[in-house]
Amino acid sequence: STTEVDILWYLSEVEAELRNGGPTFIRRISEPNRKPMIARLLGFQDPVSFGRAVRNARSLLEHGRLSAFCRDELLPGLDRMSADEVDCKVPHLADAIEYALSSDPSSGARAFKRLASGRKYRGDVEAMVRDAFPESAGAHAVASLNPTDEEAIEAIIASTDLRDEDGATLPTQRRDAALRCLRAQYRSSRGGGGCDKGGSSLSNGQQAERECLVALEERHRRKTQDAYDTVVLESVKVNARASRSPHRKEKRILGPESSTGIILTELDREGVCSEFDAIVLQRSGGGSDEGWVSEVWEAKLSVGPSALHDALSKKVPAIQALLSDPGAMLVYREGNVPMAYCREAPSLMFNIFGIELLPAANAAGQVRAIASARALQGDLDLVIKAVDEGVIEVDTEEALDHVKTVRNLLIEAHHVHITLTIGNTLIV
């Protein structure tokens, strides 16, 4: 069975929980907070640029370690070998080492994979070292280890190229705070061992989609006397391109037994999402092909303010964009349906389906975590204080603003009627 929940009522319950906690709240700094804190302290403006810097630092460490191995182990080893041994085992190694040492450091280990070229070792550097330089096998094993994120971030902190927002050399205070934050993060991750949170996000999403489809099928069976035929399509892809007809691969997907569909649109990819979990079509009775899209479904394992914000900020604008595109067409096994054709339905329904609804107290905790993470992206003095104290104090209004944002997204969803359906367990 399923239960429909009033979203505005639910958001009011979460707001009441937040207000009951007082004008401010204190939250312990957790592991997910620390990497963004480090990025902020080091002057990176967004997670993407910081992630790129970490990957580059790993490549530089790889190149440095393997360069040192070549200089300290392989080149001296070559000097100790006779000319006959070199010709027999590693005739091209000296040239390969020279090439690798002169390669771009940002390429990481790529050039060093050529050290074992030739018929004898066929690119297997480990086998070459074992055979030709057995005394260096241990050093090679150490040099070949992939650098960790901790090592890469530490290398970034030690870099002399870091600048603050004004272009000045990064203050020592911020470097030291970033290093302390790094130590705290990896000390806790090594000691905690972690726990199972109930499966991967992919498997959780698939479970939610299955439950959603089961609920739709049960509803369809209860409404067999409707004047309209109902078609439920699952995992409907959105293909943003100029062509109005499916590609060959898509035609195979839309076979006679297919339960999915593809929406073709001329909108830019940035303006639409990539997939809808389920779409419900209504068709005129009597075998008519005339139909329209009446419902779009988004499935979530657990629904709280974060899941609501995600659905309302991404899926609803995508639906509105598709409805405004006169050429948007839903293609499925039995024909084509214009997305904008809603003559029989005054508004399209966007339904958020969840297996469970977060209790208001838990939802308030989720919102406080979001507000804390945002605060740690702001004032640098606040970030340094949080590193030193291990906690952060945040105004409750910051958390309430997130709930208000969700409410505004709901109110501003023109031409789309939004509902929240909870299946199996209603937790409030």
Side-chain angles (χ1 to χ4, degrees):
S1 62
T2 59
T3 304
E4 189 167 316
V5 177
D6 185 328
I7 300 177
L8 290 175
W9 166 81
Y10 177 64
L11 294 177
S12 296
E13 292 291 302
V14 176
E15 286 176 324
E17 283 286 342
L18 289 170
R19 290 194 174 93
N20 287 340
T24 65
F25 62 90
I26 295 176
R27 190 168 182 87
R28 185 179 298 277
I29 301 302
S30 61
E31 187 174 331
N33 295 131
R34 295 192 187 276
K35 219 178 235 188
M37 289 170 65
I38 293 169
R40 180 74 182 96
L41 288 166
L42 297 180
F44 291 91
Q45 299 302 311
D46 58 78
V48 175
S49 60
F50 183 60
R52 190 182 304 117
V54 171
R55 290 192 297 273
N56 185 62
R58 279 203 300 262
S59 295
L60 295 177
L61 286 171
E62 280 181 339
H63 194 280
R65 290 174 180 180
L66 290 169
S67 294
F69 172 74
C70 288
R71 287 190 297 265
D72 299 341
E73 299 288 338
L74 293 188
L75 288 176
L78 276 174
D79 290 340
R80 292 191 296 268
M81 295 174 70
S82 67
D84 289 342
E85 284 180 304
V86 172
D87 288 341
C88 176
K89 292 184 176 181
V90 286
H92 306 296
L93 181 57
D95 291 338
I97 291 174
E98 182 180 357
Y99 171 81
L101 292 177
S102 63
S103 63
D104 183 355
S106 65
S107 65
R110 190 183 314 154
F112 295 89
K113 294 177 181 178
R114 300 186 181 184
L115 295 178
S117 59
R119 294 181 179 179
K120 186 174 179 63
Y121 301 112
R122 300 181 182 277
D124 190 341
V125 178
E126 184 180 354
M128 180 199 74
V129 172
R130 243 188 352 256
D131 180 41
F133 309 93
E135 70 282 357
S136 299
H140 177 257
V142 173
S144 300
L145 291 174
N146 291 326
T148 64
D149 273 5
E150 181 178 9
E151 292 169 327
I153 295 172
E154 187 168 355
I156 294 172
I157 294 171
S159 169
T160 58
D161 296 331
L162 291 174
R163 296 287 184 271
D164 64 14
E165 290 77 2
D166 298 323
T169 301
L170 198 71
T172 301
Q173 182 191 25
R174 284 168 60 176
R175 290 180 186 269
D176 292 345
L179 192 58
R180 292 198 303 276
C181 193
L182 179 68
R183 294 285 181 264
Q185 174 176 345
Y186 287 95
R187 184 170 60 244
S188 63
S189 64
R190 281 192 291 266
C195 60
D196 185 1
K197 297 295 184 181
S200 69
S201 58
L202 177 61
S203 62
N204 288 342
Q206 291 171 338
Q207 179 187 352
E209 289 173 24
R210 287 194 298 270
E211 294 284 352
C212 178
L213 291 169
V214 168
L216 287 173
E217 289 168 3
E218 289 181 355
R219 187 190 67 175
H220 177 54
R221 282 195 293 270
R222 292 196 302 269
K223 295 185 177 182
T224 53
Q225 303 303 315
D226 281 0
Y228 301 110
D229 294 332
T230 299
V231 178
V232 177
L233 302 176
E234 59 183 89
S235 301
V236 177
K237 301 286 191 298
V238 180
N239 198 329
R241 66 165 190 268
S243 173
R244 299 265 184 109
S245 60
H247 285 154
R248 184 180 305 168
K249 180 181 177 181
E250 294 163 350
K251 288 180 179 178
R252 289 199 300 271
I253 295 173
L254 303 176
E257 303 300 321
S258 172
S259 59
T260 186
I262 298 172
I263 296 174
L264 304 177
T265 176
E266 298 179 12
L267 296 172
D268 292 336
R269 174 69 69 183
E270 294 181 359
V272 294
C273 60
S274 60
E275 183 176 338
F276 295 113
D277 291 333
I279 281 182
V280 177
L281 302 178
Q282 298 291 342
R283 298 188 307 178
S284 301
S288 171
D289 290 334
E290 186 176 282
W292 62 94
V293 176
S294 61
E295 301 172 30
V296 176
W297 287 77
E298 171 78 356
K300 301 285 188 182
L301 183 72
S302 179
V303 175
S306 180
L308 289 170
H309 183 275
D310 182 72
L312 295 173
S313 63
K314 296 177 182 177
K315 301 294 182 172
V316 171
I319 293 169
Q320 291 171 324
L322 290 170
L323 290 177
S324 66
D325 176 15
M329 186 75 66
L330 171 60
V331 183
Y332 70 115
R333 65 181 183 271
E334 296 178 30
N336 304 336
V337 176
M339 285 294 296
Y341 182 57
C342 292
R343 179 172 55 83
E344 299 286 348
S347 66
L348 184 145
M349 291 183 65
F350 175 58
N351 304 270
I352 303 168
F353 176 90
I355 294 179
E356 64 178 26
L357 184 69
L358 273 184
N362 292 25
Q366 182 187 82
V367 174
R368 290 188 184 104
I370 294 170
S372 300
R374 286 183 176 174
L376 290 169
Q377 293 302 303
D379 183 72
L380 281 165
D381 290 336
L382 180 65
V383 177
I384 294 172
K385 183 179 179 182
V387 172
D388 293 335
E389 299 180 358
V391 296
I392 182 173
E393 185 175 8
V394 184
D395 290 342
T396 297
E397 283 299 322
E398 297 289 334
L400 289 168
D401 282 345
H402 181 74
V403 182
K404 291 173 185 174
T405 298
V406 178
R407 178 182 282 106
N408 289 338
L409 288 170
L410 184 67
I411 294 171
E412 294 167 3
H414 303 299
H415 308 300
V416 180
H417 179 65
I418 299 170
T419 64
L420 171 60
T421 302
I422 301 299
N424 289 351
T425 308
L426 175 63
I427 304 179
V428 289

